[in-house]
């Protein structure tokens, strides 16, 4: 049975965003409908007609890109999280749309915007024309540890990596490369402690937290968790990789009495569905 065009489009997005995708030939123009949306059927036909090949050219070990283990990631990739975590976002979005879970999609900690680009594209493929994708980030890198208030971050050094600072204009350009920048893509720029308490986000169906630190993770959950609809998904990107992040998520769940089962996504990411 042939793969439906919308699923071909979503799979292509995963491969291109992670740079496990197209070969070295000329870029392919993404076909559009008159209203500007992606013509997923025409795109699938184009891939078949032009015999566009999918190949892995970014890592000698295919597993490293799949689970986002390579650091730094490919120089031109829009995301470092790997295809397995994109598969999980795909599953969550499919579930949200199928069950009509109310709310927008929110990513906190966006880097070059790849995961958010994927979320916007997945909504497009699903025919959802109501939800907004919100990107919350300092767009200036990771904050220095506030050890006095958050001693769990004492050993954190991520603030010393300038490659983690990607400005909002670059993120918007990355969206434009996929023809997915529109009014349903919103940026919230600034440190989480300053922006999230008053962020103009009313309801959330998917909350992806990629804040690395205890401080960032607890601020995401403290300010946005109550906006997640019942049946919505919470994804913690660094739960397995960074002890401070794991402790923040566990502390929050314990404080709030959350017993929704935690699901393992890959070696670091976890998620849970909000039950009440």
């Amino acid at each position: 049975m042939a793969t439906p065009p919308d699923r071909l489009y979503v799979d292509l997005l995963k491969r291109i965003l992670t740079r496990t995708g197209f070969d070295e030939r000329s870029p392919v123009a993404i076909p559009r409908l008159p209203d500007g949306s992606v013509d997923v059927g025409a795109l699938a036909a184009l891939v078949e007609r032009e015999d566009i090949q999918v190949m892995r050219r970014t890592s000698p070990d295919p597993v490293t890109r799949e689970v986002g283990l390579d650091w730094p990631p490919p120089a031109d990739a829009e995301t470092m999280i790997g295809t397995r975590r994109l598969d999980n976002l795909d599953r969550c979005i499919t579930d949200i749309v199928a069950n009509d879970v109310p709310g927008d999609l929110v990513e906190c900690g966006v880097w070059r915007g790849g995961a958010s680009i994927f979320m916007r594209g997945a909504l497009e493929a699903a025919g959802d024309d109501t939800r907004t994708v919100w990107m919350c980030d300092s767009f200036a890198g990771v904050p220095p540890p506030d050890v006095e208030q958050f001693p769990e971050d004492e050993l954190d050094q991520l603030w010393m990596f300038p490659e983690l600072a990607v400005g909002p204009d670059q993120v918007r350009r990355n969206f434009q490369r996929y023809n997915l920048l529109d009014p349903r893509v919103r940026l919230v720029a600034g440190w989480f402690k300053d922006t999230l308490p008053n962020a103009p986000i009313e309801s959330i169906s998917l909350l992806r937290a990629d804040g690395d630190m205890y401080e960032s993770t607890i601020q995401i959950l403290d300010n946005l968790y109550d906006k997640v609809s019942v049946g919505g998904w919470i994804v913690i990107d660094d739960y397995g990789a960074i002890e401070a992040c794991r402790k923040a998520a566990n502390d929050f769940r314990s404080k709030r009495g959350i017993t929704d089962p935690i699901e393992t996504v890959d070696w670091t990411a976890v998620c849970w569905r909000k039950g009440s």
Side-chain angles (χ1 to χ4, degrees):
M1 181 180 296
T3 304
D6 58 328
R7 300 313 305 166
L8 287 173
Y9 170 67
V10 169
D11 183 61
L12 285 170
L13 268 183
K14 294 174 188 175
R15 296 176 182 274
I16 301 168
L17 288 164
T18 57
R19 294 306 186 270
T20 56
F22 288 135
D23 58 25
E24 302 291 349
R25 293 181 293 178
S26 300
V28 177
I30 297 177
R32 313 294 292 183
L33 295 170
D35 64 359
S37 61
V38 175
D39 187 337
V40 294
L43 178 60
L46 176 65
V47 171
E48 182 176 359
R49 183 174 68 251
E50 299 296 332
D51 190 28
I52 296 172
Q53 299 297 315
V54 172
M55 62 183 295
R56 192 175 299 277
R57 61 180 177 82
T58 60
S59 170
D61 179 3
V63 175
T64 56
R65 260 296 65 203
E66 180 182 355
V67 295
L69 273 171
D70 42 358
W71 178 262
D76 59 347
E78 285 88 9
T79 183
M80 66 176 76
I81 69 174
T83 53
R84 194 171 298 179
R85 272 171 270 172
L86 290 179
D87 287 343
N88 178 67
L89 288 177
D90 186 7
R91 178 177 70 97
C92 292
I93 293 168
T94 299
D95 177 77
I96 288 163
V97 173
N99 291 290
D100 199 23
V101 178
D104 294 333
L105 280 55
V106 180
E107 181 176 36
C108 297
V110 306
W111 195 48
R112 295 173 183 165
S116 290
I117 291 169
F118 177 77
M119 293 193 292
R120 180 65 186 85
L123 289 176
E124 188 86 11
D128 187 302
D129 60 0
T130 62
R131 302 175 201 266
T132 294
V133 173
W134 295 84
M135 292 182 289
C136 306
D137 201 294
S138 70
F139 299 101
V142 178
D146 181 353
V147 178
E148 183 175 341
Q149 189 170 357
F150 303 102
E152 298 86 354
D153 291 328
E154 182 177 7
L155 300 179
D156 185 88
Q157 297 182 344
L158 291 172
W159 64 279
M160 301 174 65
F161 289 84
E163 56 265 44
L164 296 179
V166 180
D169 290 342
Q170 180 60 58
V171 172
R172 291 189 184 96
R173 285 193 294 270
N174 289 343
F175 263 83
Q176 289 172 333
R177 296 175 69 186
Y178 294 85
N179 293 322
L180 290 171
L181 183 65
D182 64 12
R184 289 169 54 209
V185 174
R186 301 279 301 275
L187 277 67
V188 178
W191 302 122
F192 292 157
K193 64 181 180 180
D194 299 324
T195 61
L196 295 187
N198 298 305
I201 305 169
E202 295 181 0
S203 178
I204 300 171
S205 57
L206 173 59
L207 173 61
R208 174 176 147 77
D210 193 356
D212 302 308
M213 308 169 69
Y214 187 101
E215 173 183 358
S216 300
T217 304
I218 203 69
Q219 288 168 348
I220 294 168
L221 294 172
D222 277 344
N223 288 288
L224 298 181
Y225 186 83
D226 287 338
K227 297 183 179 183
V228 178
S229 301
V230 172
W233 289 92
I234 297 89
V235 179
I236 309 294
D237 187 79
D238 300 296
Y239 186 90
I242 301 176
E243 173 61 30
C245 172
R246 179 165 60 252
K247 188 174 189 308
N250 289 343
D251 286 352
F252 180 83
R253 284 171 56 92
S254 177
K255 177 178 65 176
R256 299 291 295 270
I258 297 169
T259 59
D260 302 321
I262 293 178
E263 302 179 21
T264 299
V265 176
D266 62 6
W267 67 281
T268 179
V270 299
C271 65
W272 71 86
R273 186 204 301 266
K274 187 173 183 180
S276 61

